[in-house]
Amino acid sequence: MNKTLKKTLSIILSILMIVTSVPFALAADTPITRVVDGATYYELDSAEDLYWFANQVNGGQQSINAILVDDIDLENQFWEPLEIYYGIFDGNGHTISNIYFFNSSNAYLNIGFIGENGGIVKNLGLVNVDYSSANIQAHTGGICAENDNLIENCYVTGSVDGYKYVGGIAAYNYGRIVKCYNEATVSGSDYVGGIAGTNGPNGTPLIVECYNKGAVNGTMYVGGISGGTSVNTIAQSAKMLCEYRSDDHECMAEMKEKFEKIFAS
């Protein structure tokens, strides 16, 4: 083999190694679309599709819609949040797993799958998220940092770690969070909540039929549902599971009676 051919093959091999070592560096094909109730949705079924969609949104197409047609695993690749989103993101009962974000600078102030949600996010599970930030000014939420519209039928597991205003679903809730739950560990300093770091005050933001099963860690304004709540933003209804145990039947009956009196008052 002559020297020229060897050199050419070496260059080709080097290029292939560079290309294959950078995940999602190449542009994905444009996902196919479907029309639902007159609205056009991009069908997403892979990490490449999801990164393509994020690039479109962060490139200025903030009102485009998406629907998941399969579970997607990001394999702990860095996720850049959808900065501002006004479209409909329908998880369609599917999950996005292993979302990784670490904010080591002041580059990001709104941390989550979405930064600021002015649209609708529904039917979505985020599994094993890993969010953390070294920026004390950043706000961190599992689904979004700021919710201005609607998050419905969604859940989050994993770890959501920030400073002020940290929530399992949203850091700030100025809209509605409906039928959602959180199982992620939520940690921060002030305004830390299992569902929302703070709820209010624009209009009548609501948290409805939601629950939290994740650990919530903070120092001030910390709550299982909401860390801080403004006036006139209390949920329309709430449910709580109480468990009491005893091997004494009379003691059980007495505890049951006392709990029922408390709840009835």
Side-chain angles (χ1 to χ4, degrees):
M1 185 180 294
N2 60 48
K3 292 183 178 179
T4 302
L5 181 57
K6 284 184 177 180
K7 186 176 181 180
T8 301
L9 289 174
S10 177
I11 292 172
I12 293 172
L13 181 59
S14 298
I15 293 172
L16 287 173
M17 290 177 65
I18 292 170
V19 169
T20 55
S21 67
V22 181
F24 314 123
L26 297 179
D29 294 334
T30 302
I32 63 174
T33 59
R34 72 166 72 167
V35 177
V36 179
D37 297 329
T40 300
Y41 290 76
Y42 288 102
E43 295 188 353
L44 310 181
D45 67 1
S46 67
E48 290 86 351
D49 283 351
L50 190 58
Y51 279 98
W52 176 91
F53 184 80
N55 286 335
Q56 305 310 304
V57 172
N58 291 338
Q61 298 187 58
Q62 299 168 337
S63 297
I64 57 176
N65 307 315
I67 185 168
L68 299 188
V69 294
D70 202 352
D71 296 339
I72 295 176
D73 187 350
L74 296 189
E75 299 180 348
N76 294 312
Q77 298 295 327
F78 181 81
W79 173 254
E80 182 172 350
L82 308 182
E83 294 175 3
I84 301 175
Y85 186 61
Y86 296 111
I88 301 172
F89 195 100
D90 187 353
N92 195 29
H94 292 290
T95 63
I96 301 172
S97 59
N98 299 311
I99 305 174
Y100 170 75
F101 181 94
F102 175 66
N103 187 22
S104 59
S105 67
N106 295 327
Y108 299 91
L109 292 179
N110 289 326
I111 299 169
F113 179 66
I114 299 171
E116 181 179 337
N117 176 47
I120 296 173
V121 182
K122 61 182 180 179
N123 310 321
L124 176 64
L126 299 185
V127 177
N128 195 32
V129 305
D130 183 3
Y131 301 155
S132 58
S133 175
N135 179 5
I136 64 173
Q137 300 299 322
H139 312 126
T140 308
I143 298 291
C144 65
E146 180 177 321
N147 177 44
D148 297 322
N149 196 348
L150 175 64
I151 301 172
E152 184 174 19
N153 195 30
C154 297
Y155 68 90
V156 177
T157 74
S159 175
V160 179
D161 190 0
Y163 187 67
K164 283 188 177 181
Y165 300 103
V166 187
I169 300 297
Y172 290 91
N173 179 40
Y174 296 146
R176 290 178 295 152
I177 301 176
V178 180
K179 296 182 179 178
C180 295
Y181 68 90
N182 171 65
E183 292 187 352
T185 298
V186 183
S187 303
S189 176
D190 303 349
Y191 296 98
V192 185
I195 298 298
T198 187
N199 190 47
N202 294 355
T204 54
L206 293 174
I207 298 174
V208 180
E209 295 185 46
C210 296
Y211 66 90
N212 173 62
K213 293 177 67 176
V216 181
N217 307 304
T219 56
M220 186 178 295
Y221 304 115
V222 180
I225 297 297
S226 177
T229 299
S230 299
V231 176
N232 298 326
T233 63
I234 303 299
Q236 291 173 322
S237 62
K239 295 180 180 180
M240 179 175 66
L241 174 65
C242 292
E243 181 178 353
Y244 39 92
R245 302 179 183 181
S246 176
D247 55 7
D248 187 309
H249 291 291
E250 291 184 3
C251 182
M252 284 286 290
E254 184 180 349
M255 284 192 292
K256 181 175 183 293
E257 180 182 356
K258 288 184 177 181
F259 269 105
E260 288 177 346
K261 285 182 179 179
I262 291 171
F263 295 142
S265 61

